[in-house]
Amino acid sequence: MADDSLTTTTTTSGPNEGTDVKEEVPRSIGLFGGISFIVGTIIGSGIFISPKGIARGSGSVGLAMVNWTICGVVSILGAFCYAELGTVIKQSGAEYVYMDKAYGDPMSYIFSWVNNFLVKPASMATITLTCAQYIMTPLFDDGCGEAPTHIKLIFAIFFLFLLVAINIYSVKLASKIQIIFTVAKLVALAIIIIGGIVKLCQGYTEHLATGFEGTESNPGKIAIGLYSGMWAFDGWNTANYMTEEIINPARNLSLSIVIGVPLVLVVYLLTNISYFTVMSIDEVIASPAVAVTWAQRVIPQAAWIIPIFVAMSTFGTGNGSLFSGGRLIFAAARNDHMPEALAMVHVRTFSPSPAIIFTCILAIVFMLAGDIGTLIDFVSFITWGFYGLNMLAVIIFRFKKPYKDYPRVIKNPIIIPILVFLASMFLVIVPIVTDPQIEFLFAAVFIVAGFIFYVPFVTYKIRFRCTERVTTFFQLYLQTMKPKEYAD
């Protein structure tokens, strides 16, 4: 079984030239840090801005609350399965590593291709643009707080650079930042929840009393609405990307997941109840930012505080997303699925700095490309396809050597991964069948393109002549070293 630590090697020069010096990446993330990364990454701008996605796909207050619960339960069950996977395979990289061990090299490559070049950088672009928008809302008095596009872009790039600097400078600092901003977003949600309780005590129940009136009956629209809910819960797998940096992962990884994800579900349900105390289902759908509309009605004198908290929330989400995204690229690169330069860690901080910088560059490209929100919505079905495959991996590892003999701190009933797999297939298949759109075709073409690159560069290992020189240049310039191969 794998050693719990990640070691790196550097080659000395001088009298002992050629001697390998082993460096061990310190485990610096404890239980509270793990919970903060999960909660802080899941709770982003979604719960503050766009519960209208689920509302639109539900048609009624009653079904909206049911759908939020379904999304939360599916995420919790999926997280339990990932807790089992994370204690069996103690490597960073989450889905990438699990798919490699369960299905082989081509499938793990396609996963890294889609996530490293599309999903992760596009998500970072969206997160930082949202952060910039809401941090500037109190500064613009034009009725809706909309900042000029070029100013928003400048601030978004600044926040992205700040996140990159934090994550490269220190893993411990990134963990502490995550804790601080997780507390900040929970304070914001506490304000909304307490405000909702006050309104309920004052008798504001007319919208909640409508129950299931106007419930949507189209399965395709309900599934698209569920995408918004699953997007709001996205991040429940964050801790699995940093398994090698968690102190005592057999205990703390499992507890982080078991505590963090259910906590988010409770907070989300209470927050939505608070929204519906002062807003009808149609008003939620029409609102550009549900939390801001809520604040204008419940605490008008202090409504400006909500945009600030939304910005802090998205900054914390960006920190967690960049932290996990960099480690996914790092895991793919050390398996020869990305350039070798990205399989390096900084000689002092042990952060995968080249991978983090690579994500930053792609995120800026997406920012400059324009509106990417629609694209992210429609590649969500790819993401849930991968989640479904990892649920099957839980079952595969129960019978596949050597993993079937590994001790499991958490061993789920076999019905749990089966249920999450079926939920994943529903989210993937139903929207395509009931409401086919061109974006689904684009996602399929992108996957096929990944296989086209896989054959020459991975199967036949074709390399450009300048590759080694480029790798050496970046290794010296960024002060990085190549990790020792992780042993099974």
Coordinates of all heavy atoms in Angstrom, one line a residue, residues 38-78:
I38 N -13.9 22.2 2.0 CA -15.1 21.6 1.4 C -16.3 22.6 1.5 O -16.9 23.0 0.5 CB -15.5 20.3 2.1 CG1 -14.5 19.2 1.8 CG2 -16.9 19.8 1.7 CD1 -14.7 17.9 2.6
V39 N -16.5 23.1 2.7 CA -17.6 24.1 2.9 C -17.3 25.4 2.1 O -18.2 25.9 1.4 CB -17.9 24.4 4.4 CG1 -18.9 25.5 4.6 CG2 -18.3 23.1 5.1
G40 N -16.1 25.8 2.2 CA -15.7 27.1 1.5 C -15.8 27.0 0.0 O -16.1 28.0 -0.7
T41 N -15.5 25.8 -0.5 CA -15.5 25.6 -2.0 C -17.0 25.4 -2.5 O -17.4 25.9 -3.5 CB -14.7 24.4 -2.4 OG1 -13.3 24.6 -1.9 CG2 -14.6 24.3 -3.9
I42 N -17.8 24.7 -1.7 CA -19.2 24.4 -2.1 C -20.0 25.7 -2.1 O -20.6 26.1 -3.1 CB -19.8 23.4 -1.2 CG1 -19.2 22.0 -1.4 CG2 -21.3 23.3 -1.5 CD1 -19.8 21.0 -0.5
I43 N -19.9 26.5 -1.0 CA -20.7 27.7 -0.8 C -20.0 28.8 -1.5 O -19.0 29.4 -1.0 CB -20.9 28.0 0.7 CG1 -21.6 26.9 1.4 CG2 -21.7 29.3 0.8 CD1 -21.8 27.2 2.9
G44 N -20.4 29.1 -2.7 CA -19.9 30.2 -3.5 C -20.9 31.2 -3.8 O -21.7 31.6 -2.9
S45 N -21.0 31.6 -5.0 CA -22.0 32.7 -5.3 C -23.4 32.1 -5.6 O -24.4 32.8 -5.5 CB -21.6 33.4 -6.6 OG -21.4 32.5 -7.7
G46 N -23.5 30.8 -5.8 CA -24.7 30.1 -6.3 C -25.9 30.3 -5.3 O -27.0 30.8 -5.7
I47 N -25.7 30.1 -4.0 CA -26.8 30.2 -3.1 C -27.2 31.6 -2.9 O -28.4 31.9 -2.5 CB -26.4 29.6 -1.7 CG1 -27.6 29.5 -0.8 CG2 -25.2 30.3 -1.1 CD1 -28.7 28.6 -1.3
F48 N -26.3 32.6 -3.1 CA -26.7 34.0 -3.0 C -27.3 34.6 -4.2 O -28.1 35.5 -4.2 CB -25.4 34.8 -2.7 CG -24.7 34.5 -1.4 CD1 -23.5 33.8 -1.4 CD2 -25.2 34.9 -0.2 CE1 -22.9 33.4 -0.2 CE2 -24.6 34.6 1.0 CZ -23.4 33.9 1.0
I49 N -27.0 34.0 -5.4 CA -27.4 34.7 -6.7 C -28.4 33.9 -7.4 O -29.4 34.4 -7.9 CB -26.1 34.9 -7.6 CG1 -25.1 35.8 -6.8 CG2 -26.5 35.5 -8.9 CD1 -23.8 35.8 -7.5
S50 N -28.2 32.6 -7.6 CA -29.0 31.9 -8.6 C -29.8 30.7 -8.1 O -29.8 29.6 -8.7 CB -28.1 31.5 -9.8 OG -27.0 30.7 -9.3
P51 N -30.5 30.7 -7.0 CA -31.5 29.7 -6.7 C -32.6 29.7 -7.7 O -33.4 28.8 -7.8 CB -32.1 30.1 -5.3 CG -31.0 30.9 -4.7 CD -30.4 31.7 -5.8
K52 N -32.6 30.7 -8.6 CA -33.7 30.8 -9.6 C -33.6 29.7 -10.6 O -34.6 29.4 -11.3 CB -33.6 32.2 -10.3 CG -32.3 32.5 -11.1 CD -32.3 33.8 -11.7 CE -31.0 34.2 -12.4 NZ -31.1 35.5 -13.0
G53 N -32.4 29.1 -10.8 CA -32.2 27.9 -11.7 C -33.1 26.8 -11.3 O -33.9 26.2 -12.1
I54 N -33.0 26.4 -10.0 CA -33.9 25.4 -9.4 C -35.4 25.8 -9.4 O -36.3 25.1 -9.8 CB -33.5 25.0 -8.0 CG1 -32.3 24.0 -8.1 CG2 -34.6 24.4 -7.2 CD1 -32.0 23.3 -6.8
A55 N -35.6 27.1 -9.1 CA -37.0 27.6 -9.1 C -37.6 27.5 -10.4 O -38.8 27.1 -10.6 CB -37.0 29.1 -8.6
R56 N -36.9 27.9 -11.5 CA -37.4 27.8 -12.9 C -37.7 26.4 -13.3 O -38.7 26.1 -14.0 CB -36.4 28.4 -13.8 CG -36.9 28.5 -15.3 CD -35.9 29.1 -16.2 NE -35.5 30.5 -15.8 CZ -34.3 30.9 -15.4 NH1 -33.4 30.0 -15.2 NH2 -34.1 32.1 -15.1
G57 N -36.8 25.4 -12.8 CA -37.0 24.0 -13.2 C -38.1 23.3 -12.3 O -38.4 22.2 -12.6
S58 N -38.5 24.0 -11.2 CA -39.5 23.4 -10.3 C -40.9 23.9 -10.5 O -41.8 23.2 -10.5 CB -39.0 23.7 -8.9 OG -37.7 23.2 -8.6
G59 N -41.0 25.3 -10.7 CA -42.3 25.9 -10.9 C -43.1 26.1 -9.6 O -44.1 26.9 -9.6
S60 N -42.7 25.6 -8.5 CA -43.4 25.8 -7.2 C -42.4 25.8 -6.1 O -41.3 25.2 -6.2 CB -44.4 24.7 -7.0 OG -43.8 23.4 -6.8
V61 N -42.8 26.4 -5.0 CA -42.0 26.5 -3.8 C -41.7 25.1 -3.2 O -40.6 24.7 -2.9 CB -42.6 27.3 -2.7 CG1 -41.8 27.3 -1.4 CG2 -42.7 28.8 -3.2
G62 N -42.8 24.2 -3.2 CA -42.7 22.9 -2.7 C -41.7 22.0 -3.4 O -40.8 21.4 -2.8
L63 N -41.8 22.0 -4.8 CA -40.8 21.2 -5.5 C -39.4 21.8 -5.5 O -38.4 21.0 -5.5 CB -41.3 21.1 -7.0 CG -40.5 20.1 -7.9 CD1 -40.5 18.7 -7.3 CD2 -41.0 20.1 -9.3
A64 N -39.3 23.1 -5.4 CA -38.0 23.7 -5.3 C -37.3 23.2 -4.0 O -36.1 22.8 -4.1 CB -38.1 25.2 -5.2
M65 N -38.0 23.2 -2.9 CA -37.4 22.7 -1.7 C -37.1 21.2 -1.8 O -36.0 20.7 -1.3 CB -38.3 22.9 -0.5 CG -38.6 24.4 -0.2 SD -37.1 25.4 0.1 CE -36.5 24.6 1.6
V66 N -37.9 20.4 -2.4 CA -37.7 19.0 -2.6 C -36.4 18.8 -3.5 O -35.5 18.0 -3.2 CB -38.9 18.3 -3.3 CG1 -38.5 16.9 -3.8 CG2 -40.0 18.2 -2.3
N67 N -36.3 19.6 -4.6 CA -35.1 19.5 -5.4 C -33.8 19.9 -4.8 O -32.8 19.3 -5.0 CB -35.4 20.3 -6.7 CG -36.3 19.6 -7.7 OD1 -36.6 18.4 -7.6 ND2 -36.9 20.4 -8.6
W68 N -33.9 20.9 -3.9 CA -32.7 21.3 -3.1 C -32.3 20.1 -2.3 O -31.1 19.8 -2.1 CB -32.9 22.5 -2.3 CG -32.7 23.8 -3.0 CD1 -33.7 24.7 -3.4 CD2 -31.5 24.4 -3.4 NE1 -33.1 25.8 -4.0 CE2 -31.7 25.6 -4.0 CE3 -30.1 24.0 -3.2 CZ2 -30.7 26.5 -4.5 CZ3 -29.1 24.8 -3.7 CH2 -29.4 26.0 -4.3
T69 N -33.3 19.5 -1.7 CA -33.0 18.3 -0.8 C -32.4 17.2 -1.6 O -31.4 16.5 -1.2 CB -34.2 17.9 -0.1 OG1 -34.8 19.0 0.7 CG2 -34.0 16.7 0.9
I70 N -33.0 16.9 -2.8 CA -32.4 15.8 -3.6 C -31.0 16.1 -4.0 O -30.1 15.2 -3.9 CB -33.3 15.7 -4.9 CG1 -34.7 15.1 -4.6 CG2 -32.6 14.8 -5.9 CD1 -35.7 15.1 -5.7
C71 N -30.7 17.3 -4.4 CA -29.3 17.7 -4.8 C -28.4 17.5 -3.6 O -27.3 17.0 -3.8 CB -29.2 19.2 -5.2 SG -30.1 19.5 -6.8
G72 N -28.8 17.9 -2.4 CA -28.0 17.8 -1.2 C -27.8 16.3 -0.9 O -26.6 15.9 -0.5
V73 N -28.8 15.5 -0.9 CA -28.7 14.1 -0.6 C -27.8 13.3 -1.6 O -26.9 12.5 -1.2 CB -30.1 13.4 -0.5 CG1 -30.0 11.9 -0.4 CG2 -30.9 14.0 0.7
V74 N -28.0 13.6 -2.9 CA -27.1 13.0 -3.9 C -25.6 13.4 -3.6 O -24.7 12.6 -3.7 CB -27.5 13.4 -5.3 CG1 -26.5 13.0 -6.3 CG2 -28.9 12.8 -5.6
S75 N -25.4 14.7 -3.3 CA -24.0 15.1 -3.0 C -23.5 14.5 -1.8 O -22.3 14.1 -1.8 CB -24.0 16.7 -2.8 OG -24.5 17.3 -4.0
I76 N -24.3 14.3 -0.7 CA -23.8 13.7 0.5 C -23.5 12.2 0.2 O -22.4 11.7 0.6 CB -24.9 13.8 1.6 CG1 -25.0 15.2 2.1 CG2 -24.6 12.8 2.8 CD1 -26.2 15.4 3.0
L77 N -24.4 11.5 -0.5 CA -24.1 10.1 -0.8 C -22.8 10.0 -1.7 O -22.0 9.1 -1.5 CB -25.3 9.4 -1.5 CG -26.6 9.3 -0.6 CD1 -27.7 8.7 -1.4 CD2 -26.3 8.5 0.6
G78 N -22.7 10.9 -2.7 CA -21.5 10.9 -3.5 C -20.3 11.1 -2.7 O -19.2 10.5 -2.9

